[in-house]
Amino acid sequence: MQSLCGHPGQSGAHTETTEVPWDRTATVYDRNGVQVTSFPVIHIINGAVGYRLDYNGRSVVFSGDTRPCRPLVAACDGADLLVHETFPSASVFARKAGVPLEFAERVVNDSHTSPTMAGSVFARAGARMSVMWHLAVGHETVGPAYAEMRARYDGPVTIAQDLTVFDIGADTVIARQTTVDPAAWPVVGPTKVTGPPLSAPPPPPAWWSEALITD
């Protein structure tokens, strides 16, 4: 890190936070036609929340980590898109993670949502498109997740992973996967430099002058 001493971007970061109610449904953002509503969900300890985003006549509900719960279903009234956490079933999770089935059942059923129960939530919520999220996407997880979910729900469903994009139109909800540059250049934002743009480097050692190739 000594070689970066005084490098631009010394000012660090400033974070502005707003507390969100976790025990009731509440509007937490309402500006320029964008409204964000939080609602309580059930996950390990009291305090987890999900969010609903409304803009320009379209609505998206995001569960965050949660067990199946009624506040989320209520938040989906008229929703276009529901993104709901879905863990592999306990048997699949135990096999993939190499943990005892009893432990896997506790993780999946006491803290998260199984594919079967995700199907129950989708059927109750009635969103135009439902999405399973938080699922480790692989050959041994996707097939069983769909099969178990379909035991409870037969509407439009897909699985999301990093960089999944949804285009919500009046008549369709289209899912697609973004392709990005794997080696993109960094985007440098504004900064308030607290020192000189670049501090003077220490004097070079004597051996550099003979070892350096200059032609």
Side-chain angles (χ1 to χ4, degrees), residues 32-50:
N32 300 324
V34 178
Q35 185 176 78
V36 180
T37 306
S38 69
F39 52 88
V41 296
I42 302 172
H43 180 61
I44 303 179
I45 60 175
N46 205 15
V49 297

Side-chain angles (χ1 to χ4, degrees), residues 20-22 24-29 35-40 50-52:
V20 174
W22 51 263
R24 66 188 186 279
T25 298
T27 300
V28 298
Y29 184 92
Q35 185 176 78
V36 180
T37 306
S38 69
F39 52 88
Y51 294 96
R52 173 174 172 140

